[in-house]
PDB file of all heavy atoms in Angstrom:
ATOM      1  N   LYS A   1      35.362  20.513   1.293  1.00 95.00           N
ATOM      2  CA  LYS A   1      36.044  19.508   2.115  1.00 95.00           C
ATOM      3  C   LYS A   1      37.322  19.028   1.426  1.00 95.00           C
ATOM      4  O   LYS A   1      38.363  18.856   2.071  1.00 95.00           O
ATOM      5  CB  LYS A   1      35.099  18.328   2.352  1.00 95.00           C
ATOM      6  CG  LYS A   1      35.718  17.144   3.074  1.00 95.00           C
ATOM      7  CD  LYS A   1      36.112  17.460   4.504  1.00 95.00           C
ATOM      8  CE  LYS A   1      36.613  16.202   5.200  1.00 95.00           C
ATOM      9  NZ  LYS A   1      37.151  16.491   6.556  1.00 95.00           N
ATOM     10  N   ILE A   2      37.258  18.836   0.125  1.00 97.00           N
ATOM     11  CA  ILE A   2      38.440  18.402  -0.638  1.00 97.00           C
ATOM     12  C   ILE A   2      39.588  19.387  -0.437  1.00 97.00           C
ATOM     13  O   ILE A   2      40.754  18.998  -0.221  1.00 97.00           O
ATOM     14  CB  ILE A   2      38.098  18.275  -2.138  1.00 97.00           C
ATOM     15  CG1 ILE A   2      37.343  16.978  -2.407  1.00 97.00           C
ATOM     16  CG2 ILE A   2      39.360  18.340  -3.001  1.00 97.00           C
ATOM     17  CD1 ILE A   2      38.169  15.709  -2.278  1.00 97.00           C
ATOM     18  N   LYS A   3      39.288  20.657  -0.489  1.00 94.00           N
ATOM     19  CA  LYS A   3      40.330  21.673  -0.405  1.00 94.00           C
ATOM     20  C   LYS A   3      40.893  21.826   1.000  1.00 94.00           C
ATOM     21  O   LYS A   3      41.893  22.512   1.194  1.00 94.00           O
ATOM     22  CB  LYS A   3      39.787  22.996  -0.943  1.00 94.00           C
ATOM     23  CG  LYS A   3      39.572  22.928  -2.464  1.00 94.00           C
ATOM     24  CD  LYS A   3      38.863  24.148  -3.024  1.00 94.00           C
ATOM     25  CE  LYS A   3      38.623  23.980  -4.521  1.00 94.00           C
ATOM     26  NZ  LYS A   3      37.891  25.113  -5.117  1.00 94.00           N
ATOM     27  N   GLU A   4      40.275  21.162   1.972  1.00 95.00           N
ATOM     28  CA  GLU A   4      40.854  21.115   3.315  1.00 95.00           C
ATOM     29  C   GLU A   4      41.995  20.108   3.386  1.00 95.00           C
ATOM     30  O   GLU A   4      42.887  20.223   4.225  1.00 95.00           O
ATOM     31  CB  GLU A   4      39.781  20.740   4.345  1.00 95.00           C
ATOM     32  CG  GLU A   4      38.719  21.807   4.552  1.00 95.00           C
ATOM     33  CD  GLU A   4      37.651  21.353   5.536  1.00 95.00           C
ATOM     34  OE1 GLU A   4      37.775  20.215   6.073  1.00 95.00           O
ATOM     35  OE2 GLU A   4      36.697  22.113   5.771  1.00 95.00           O
ATOM     36  N   ASN A   5      41.956  19.108   2.489  1.00 96.00           N
ATOM     37  CA  ASN A   5      42.951  18.041   2.506  1.00 96.00           C
ATOM     38  C   ASN A   5      43.934  18.091   1.339  1.00 96.00           C
ATOM     39  O   ASN A   5      45.070  17.654   1.471  1.00 96.00           O
ATOM     40  CB  ASN A   5      42.265  16.668   2.494  1.00 96.00           C
ATOM     41  CG  ASN A   5      41.405  16.417   3.713  1.00 96.00           C
ATOM     42  OD1 ASN A   5      40.223  16.705   3.713  1.00 96.00           O
ATOM     43  ND2 ASN A   5      42.008  15.895   4.772  1.00 96.00           N
ATOM     44  N   PHE A   6      43.474  18.623   0.218  1.00 97.00           N
ATOM     45  CA  PHE A   6      44.277  18.597  -1.000  1.00 97.00           C
ATOM     46  C   PHE A   6      44.669  20.010  -1.429  1.00 97.00           C
ATOM     47  O   PHE A   6      43.887  20.951  -1.325  1.00 97.00           O
ATOM     48  CB  PHE A   6      43.499  17.931  -2.143  1.00 97.00           C
ATOM     49  CG  PHE A   6      43.180  16.484  -1.888  1.00 97.00           C
ATOM     50  CD1 PHE A   6      42.009  16.116  -1.236  1.00 97.00           C
ATOM     51  CD2 PHE A   6      44.050  15.479  -2.306  1.00 97.00           C
ATOM     52  CE1 PHE A   6      41.707  14.784  -1.007  1.00 97.00           C
ATOM     53  CE2 PHE A   6      43.758  14.144  -2.077  1.00 97.00           C
ATOM     54  CZ  PHE A   6      42.581  13.795  -1.422  1.00 97.00           C
ATOM     55  N   ILE A   7      45.890  20.137  -1.931  1.00 96.00           N
ATOM     56  CA  ILE A   7      46.391  21.394  -2.466  1.00 96.00           C
ATOM     57  C   ILE A   7      46.536  21.228  -3.978  1.00 96.00           C
ATOM     58  O   ILE A   7      47.270  20.350  -4.450  1.00 96.00           O
ATOM     59  CB  ILE A   7      47.753  21.756  -1.849  1.00 96.00           C
ATOM     60  CG1 ILE A   7      47.613  21.935  -0.332  1.00 96.00           C
ATOM     61  CG2 ILE A   7      48.302  23.022  -2.483  1.00 96.00           C
ATOM     62  CD1 ILE A   7      48.948  22.134   0.375  1.00 96.00           C
ATOM     63  N   PHE A   8      45.837  22.049  -4.737  1.00 96.00           N
ATOM     64  CA  PHE A   8      45.901  21.977  -6.188  1.00 96.00           C
ATOM     65  C   PHE A   8      47.126  22.723  -6.694  1.00 96.00           C
ATOM     66  O   PHE A   8      47.366  23.872  -6.325  1.00 96.00           O
ATOM     67  CB  PHE A   8      44.650  22.565  -6.825  1.00 96.00           C
ATOM     68  CG  PHE A   8      43.399  21.730  -6.611  1.00 96.00           C
ATOM     69  CD1 PHE A   8      42.173  22.189  -7.037  1.00 96.00           C
ATOM     70  CD2 PHE A   8      43.460  20.502  -5.990  1.00 96.00           C
ATOM     71  CE1 PHE A   8      41.031  21.436  -6.852  1.00 96.00           C
ATOM     72  CE2 PHE A   8      42.332  19.731  -5.795  1.00 96.00           C
ATOM     73  CZ  PHE A   8      41.108  20.203  -6.229  1.00 96.00           C
ATOM     74  N   ALA A   9      47.873  22.071  -7.554  1.00 93.00           N
ATOM     75  CA  ALA A   9      49.070  22.681  -8.130  1.00 93.00           C
ATOM     76  C   ALA A   9      48.680  23.870  -9.013  1.00 93.00           C
ATOM     77  O   ALA A   9      47.584  23.914  -9.579  1.00 93.00           O
ATOM     78  CB  ALA A   9      49.839  21.653  -8.958  1.00 93.00           C
ATOM     79  N   LYS A  10      49.577  24.814  -9.125  1.00 92.00           N
ATOM     80  CA  LYS A  10      49.349  25.962 -10.001  1.00 92.00           C
ATOM     81  C   LYS A  10      49.235  25.470 -11.439  1.00 92.00           C
ATOM     82  O   LYS A  10      50.037  24.650 -11.900  1.00 92.00           O
ATOM     83  CB  LYS A  10      50.514  26.946  -9.872  1.00 92.00           C
ATOM     84  CG  LYS A  10      50.309  28.226 -10.672  1.00 92.00           C
ATOM     85  CD  LYS A  10      51.464  29.194 -10.458  1.00 92.00           C
ATOM     86  CE  LYS A  10      51.249  30.477 -11.254  1.00 92.00           C
ATOM     87  NZ  LYS A  10      52.362  31.441 -11.048  1.00 92.00           N
ATOM     88  N   GLY A  11      48.207  25.933 -12.144  1.00 91.00           N
ATOM     89  CA  GLY A  11      48.008  25.503 -13.521  1.00 91.00           C
ATOM     90  C   GLY A  11      47.520  24.073 -13.639  1.00 91.00           C
ATOM     91  O   GLY A  11      47.728  23.430 -14.673  1.00 91.00           O
ATOM     92  N   ILE A  12      46.873  23.563 -12.606  1.00 94.00           N
ATOM     93  CA  ILE A  12      46.432  22.172 -12.578  1.00 94.00           C
ATOM     94  C   ILE A  12      45.526  21.853 -13.759  1.00 94.00           C
ATOM     95  O   ILE A  12      44.752  22.700 -14.210  1.00 94.00           O
ATOM     96  CB  ILE A  12      45.701  21.877 -11.241  1.00 94.00           C
ATOM     97  CG1 ILE A  12      45.427  20.364 -11.102  1.00 94.00           C
ATOM     98  CG2 ILE A  12      44.419  22.684 -11.134  1.00 94.00           C
ATOM     99  CD1 ILE A  12      44.924  19.984  -9.726  1.00 94.00           C
ATOM    100  N   LYS A  13      45.619  20.635 -14.261  1.00 90.00           N
ATOM    101  CA  LYS A  13      44.790  20.189 -15.365  1.00 90.00           C
ATOM    102  C   LYS A  13      43.632  19.363 -14.819  1.00 90.00           C
ATOM    103  O   LYS A  13      43.812  18.521 -13.944  1.00 90.00           O
ATOM    104  CB  LYS A  13      45.601  19.355 -16.354  1.00 90.00           C
ATOM    105  CG  LYS A  13      46.690  20.152 -17.049  1.00 90.00           C
ATOM    106  CD  LYS A  13      47.206  19.431 -18.270  1.00 90.00           C
ATOM    107  CE  LYS A  13      48.183  20.320 -19.031  1.00 90.00           C
ATOM    108  NZ  LYS A  13      48.543  19.772 -20.335  1.00 90.00           N
ATOM    109  N   ALA A  14      42.437  19.620 -15.341  1.00 95.00           N
ATOM    110  CA  ALA A  14      41.253  18.867 -14.943  1.00 95.00           C
ATOM    111  C   ALA A  14      40.588  18.290 -16.195  1.00 95.00           C
ATOM    112  O   ALA A  14      40.614  18.903 -17.270  1.00 95.00           O
ATOM    113  CB  ALA A  14      40.276  19.758 -14.187  1.00 95.00           C
ATOM    114  N   TYR A  15      40.008  17.121 -16.037  1.00 97.00           N
ATOM    115  CA  TYR A  15      39.393  16.412 -17.151  1.00 97.00           C
ATOM    116  C   TYR A  15      38.039  15.878 -16.709  1.00 97.00           C
ATOM    117  O   TYR A  15      37.853  15.486 -15.553  1.00 97.00           O
ATOM    118  CB  TYR A  15      40.267  15.236 -17.605  1.00 97.00           C
ATOM    119  CG  TYR A  15      41.688  15.624 -17.951  1.00 97.00           C
ATOM    120  CD1 TYR A  15      42.650  15.720 -16.939  1.00 97.00           C
ATOM    121  CD2 TYR A  15      42.072  15.881 -19.257  1.00 97.00           C
ATOM    122  CE1 TYR A  15      43.964  16.074 -17.244  1.00 97.00           C
ATOM    123  CE2 TYR A  15      43.383  16.229 -19.568  1.00 97.00           C
ATOM    124  CZ  TYR A  15      44.321  16.327 -18.552  1.00 97.00           C
ATOM    125  OH  TYR A  15      45.611  16.673 -18.844  1.00 97.00           O
ATOM    126  N   VAL A  16      37.101  15.843 -17.654  1.00 98.00           N
ATOM    127  CA  VAL A  16      35.777  15.274 -17.406  1.00 98.00           C
ATOM    128  C   VAL A  16      35.491  14.285 -18.525  1.00 98.00           C
ATOM    129  O   VAL A  16      35.663  14.603 -19.709  1.00 98.00           O
ATOM    130  CB  VAL A  16      34.687  16.360 -17.380  1.00 98.00           C
ATOM    131  CG1 VAL A  16      33.303  15.732 -17.205  1.00 98.00           C
ATOM    132  CG2 VAL A  16      34.952  17.362 -16.259  1.00 98.00           C
ATOM    133  N   SER A  17      35.075  13.074 -18.159  1.00 96.00           N
ATOM    134  CA  SER A  17      34.775  12.061 -19.159  1.00 96.00           C
ATOM    135  C   SER A  17      33.631  11.188 -18.674  1.00 96.00           C
ATOM    136  O   SER A  17      33.204  11.273 -17.521  1.00 96.00           O
ATOM    137  CB  SER A  17      36.006  11.190 -19.441  1.00 96.00           C
ATOM    138  OG  SER A  17      36.256  10.328 -18.344  1.00 96.00           O
ATOM    139  N   ASP A  18      33.153  10.332 -19.554  1.00 95.00           N
ATOM    140  CA  ASP A  18      32.126   9.374 -19.147  1.00 95.00           C
ATOM    141  C   ASP A  18      32.775   8.135 -18.538  1.00 95.00           C
ATOM    142  O   ASP A  18      32.317   7.618 -17.526  1.00 95.00           O
ATOM    143  CB  ASP A  18      31.257   8.981 -20.344  1.00 95.00           C
ATOM    144  CG  ASP A  18      29.889   8.489 -19.909  1.00 95.00           C
ATOM    145  OD1 ASP A  18      29.446   8.859 -18.805  1.00 95.00           O
ATOM    146  OD2 ASP A  18      29.253   7.748 -20.671  1.00 95.00           O
ATOM    147  N   SER A  19      33.836   7.657 -19.146  1.00 93.00           N
ATOM    148  CA  SER A  19      34.505   6.442 -18.673  1.00 93.00           C
ATOM    149  C   SER A  19      35.637   6.760 -17.712  1.00 93.00           C
ATOM    150  O   SER A  19      36.408   7.701 -17.935  1.00 93.00           O
ATOM    151  CB  SER A  19      35.064   5.655 -19.856  1.00 93.00           C
ATOM    152  OG  SER A  19      35.818   4.543 -19.404  1.00 93.00           O
ATOM    153  N   HIS A  20      35.747   5.958 -16.663  1.00 95.00           N
ATOM    154  CA  HIS A  20      36.822   6.161 -15.705  1.00 95.00           C
ATOM    155  C   HIS A  20      38.161   5.655 -16.239  1.00 95.00           C
ATOM    156  O   HIS A  20      39.217   5.947 -15.669  1.00 95.00           O
ATOM    157  CB  HIS A  20      36.496   5.459 -14.382  1.00 95.00           C
ATOM    158  CG  HIS A  20      36.886   6.263 -13.193  1.00 95.00           C
ATOM    159  ND1 HIS A  20      36.147   6.317 -12.036  1.00 95.00           N
ATOM    160  CD2 HIS A  20      37.955   7.063 -12.972  1.00 95.00           C
ATOM    161  CE1 HIS A  20      36.742   7.107 -11.154  1.00 95.00           C
ATOM    162  NE2 HIS A  20      37.835   7.566 -11.709  1.00 95.00           N
ATOM    163  N   THR A  21      38.124   4.935 -17.340  1.00 96.00           N
ATOM    164  CA  THR A  21      39.360   4.420 -17.932  1.00 96.00           C
ATOM    165  C   THR A  21      40.355   5.540 -18.223  1.00 96.00           C
ATOM    166  O   THR A  21      41.572   5.335 -18.185  1.00 96.00           O
ATOM    167  CB  THR A  21      39.041   3.666 -19.241  1.00 96.00           C
ATOM    168  OG1 THR A  21      38.057   2.662 -18.977  1.00 96.00           O
ATOM    169  CG2 THR A  21      40.285   3.008 -19.809  1.00 96.00           C
ATOM    170  N   LEU A  22      39.848   6.735 -18.481  1.00 97.00           N
ATOM    171  CA  LEU A  22      40.716   7.871 -18.790  1.00 97.00           C
ATOM    172  C   LEU A  22      41.716   8.148 -17.672  1.00 97.00           C
ATOM    173  O   LEU A  22      42.798   8.684 -17.933  1.00 97.00           O
ATOM    174  CB  LEU A  22      39.868   9.112 -19.068  1.00 97.00           C
ATOM    175  CG  LEU A  22      40.618  10.380 -19.483  1.00 97.00           C
ATOM    176  CD1 LEU A  22      41.341  10.173 -20.812  1.00 97.00           C
ATOM    177  CD2 LEU A  22      39.659  11.572 -19.567  1.00 97.00           C
ATOM    178  N   SER A  23      41.392   7.794 -16.447  1.00 98.00           N
ATOM    179  CA  SER A  23      42.320   8.041 -15.334  1.00 98.00           C
ATOM    180  C   SER A  23      43.654   7.333 -15.548  1.00 98.00           C
ATOM    181  O   SER A  23      44.697   7.827 -15.109  1.00 98.00           O
ATOM    182  CB  SER A  23      41.703   7.588 -14.006  1.00 98.00           C
ATOM    183  OG  SER A  23      40.893   8.596 -13.444  1.00 98.00           O
ATOM    184  N   TYR A  24      43.617   6.191 -16.196  1.00 98.00           N
ATOM    185  CA  TYR A  24      44.859   5.465 -16.481  1.00 98.00           C
ATOM    186  C   TYR A  24      45.785   6.327 -17.344  1.00 98.00           C
ATOM    187  O   TYR A  24      46.972   6.485 -17.045  1.00 98.00           O
ATOM    188  CB  TYR A  24      44.547   4.145 -17.181  1.00 98.00           C
ATOM    189  CG  TYR A  24      45.769   3.295 -17.479  1.00 98.00           C
ATOM    190  CD1 TYR A  24      46.237   2.367 -16.558  1.00 98.00           C
ATOM    191  CD2 TYR A  24      46.456   3.422 -18.691  1.00 98.00           C
ATOM    192  CE1 TYR A  24      47.356   1.577 -16.831  1.00 98.00           C
ATOM    193  CE2 TYR A  24      47.570   2.651 -18.976  1.00 98.00           C
ATOM    194  CZ  TYR A  24      48.019   1.737 -18.037  1.00 98.00           C
ATOM    195  OH  TYR A  24      49.132   0.957 -18.306  1.00 98.00           O
ATOM    196  N   ASP A  25      45.220   6.902 -18.401  1.00 97.00           N
ATOM    197  CA  ASP A  25      46.012   7.722 -19.309  1.00 97.00           C
ATOM    198  C   ASP A  25      46.482   9.008 -18.634  1.00 97.00           C
ATOM    199  O   ASP A  25      47.623   9.441 -18.826  1.00 97.00           O
ATOM    200  CB  ASP A  25      45.200   8.066 -20.552  1.00 97.00           C
ATOM    201  CG  ASP A  25      44.848   6.839 -21.366  1.00 97.00           C
ATOM    202  OD1 ASP A  25      45.655   5.887 -21.378  1.00 97.00           O
ATOM    203  OD2 ASP A  25      43.772   6.824 -21.987  1.00 97.00           O
ATOM    204  N   ILE A  26      45.606   9.621 -17.844  1.00 97.00           N
ATOM    205  CA  ILE A  26      45.971  10.872 -17.181  1.00 97.00           C
ATOM    206  C   ILE A  26      47.131  10.652 -16.224  1.00 97.00           C
ATOM    207  O   ILE A  26      48.105  11.425 -16.199  1.00 97.00           O
ATOM    208  CB  ILE A  26      44.768  11.458 -16.421  1.00 97.00           C
ATOM    209  CG1 ILE A  26      43.654  11.838 -17.392  1.00 97.00           C
ATOM    210  CG2 ILE A  26      45.190  12.676 -15.602  1.00 97.00           C
ATOM    211  CD1 ILE A  26      42.350  12.213 -16.713  1.00 97.00           C
ATOM    212  N   ALA A  27      47.048   9.596 -15.413  1.00 97.00           N
ATOM    213  CA  ALA A  27      48.103   9.314 -14.437  1.00 97.00           C
ATOM    214  C   ALA A  27      49.442   9.108 -15.147  1.00 97.00           C
ATOM    215  O   ALA A  27      50.486   9.583 -14.687  1.00 97.00           O
ATOM    216  CB  ALA A  27      47.739   8.090 -13.604  1.00 97.00           C
ATOM    217  N   ARG A  28      49.432   8.398 -16.265  1.00 96.00           N
ATOM    218  CA  ARG A  28      50.661   8.162 -17.023  1.00 96.00           C
ATOM    219  C   ARG A  28      51.200   9.461 -17.617  1.00 96.00           C
ATOM    220  O   ARG A  28      52.376   9.787 -17.470  1.00 96.00           O
ATOM    221  CB  ARG A  28      50.395   7.168 -18.152  1.00 96.00           C
ATOM    222  CG  ARG A  28      50.189   5.739 -17.698  1.00 96.00           C
ATOM    223  CD  ARG A  28      49.994   4.815 -18.893  1.00 96.00           C
ATOM    224  NE  ARG A  28      51.102   4.901 -19.834  1.00 96.00           N
ATOM    225  CZ  ARG A  28      51.148   4.271 -21.009  1.00 96.00           C
ATOM    226  NH1 ARG A  28      50.123   3.537 -21.404  1.00 96.00           N
ATOM    227  NH2 ARG A  28      52.200   4.400 -21.794  1.00 96.00           N
ATOM    228  N   GLU A  29      50.332  10.206 -18.282  1.00 95.00           N
ATOM    229  CA  GLU A  29      50.776  11.409 -18.975  1.00 95.00           C
ATOM    230  C   GLU A  29      51.262  12.486 -18.013  1.00 95.00           C
ATOM    231  O   GLU A  29      52.187  13.240 -18.333  1.00 95.00           O
ATOM    232  CB  GLU A  29      49.630  11.944 -19.837  1.00 95.00           C
ATOM    233  CG  GLU A  29      49.288  11.029 -21.009  1.00 95.00           C
ATOM    234  CD  GLU A  29      47.991  11.424 -21.678  1.00 95.00           C
ATOM    235  OE1 GLU A  29      47.390  12.457 -21.272  1.00 95.00           O
ATOM    236  OE2 GLU A  29      47.557  10.707 -22.602  1.00 95.00           O
ATOM    237  N   GLN A  30      50.649  12.545 -16.833  1.00 94.00           N
ATOM    238  CA  GLN A  30      51.021  13.569 -15.853  1.00 94.00           C
ATOM    239  C   GLN A  30      52.153  13.114 -14.930  1.00 94.00           C
ATOM    240  O   GLN A  30      52.614  13.868 -14.083  1.00 94.00           O
ATOM    241  CB  GLN A  30      49.794  13.943 -15.015  1.00 94.00           C
ATOM    242  CG  GLN A  30      48.689  14.620 -15.801  1.00 94.00           C
ATOM    243  CD  GLN A  30      49.119  15.967 -16.339  1.00 94.00           C
ATOM    244  OE1 GLN A  30      49.778  16.756 -15.665  1.00 94.00           O
ATOM    245  NE2 GLN A  30      48.757  16.238 -17.588  1.00 94.00           N
TER     246      GLN A  30
END
């Protein structure tokens, strides 16, 4: 379902963590 709405960029980076706080850093860095 996600791939019906979202297009992943070529070479996309994915991250897995326990804390959602990491999203703050990812959004800034990317």
Side-chain angles (χ1 to χ4, degrees):
K1 174 66 175 174
I2 282 290
K3 290 172 183 178
E4 292 177 2
N5 297 91
F6 296 89
I7 298 173
F8 290 175
K10 184 177 180 179
I12 189 171
K13 295 196 174 190
Y15 305 84
V16 177
S17 72
D18 204 24
S19 175
H20 220 142
T21 306
L22 183 63
S23 275
Y24 182 90
D25 296 328
I26 296 171
R28 288 183 56 185
E29 292 169 4
Q30 294 295 318

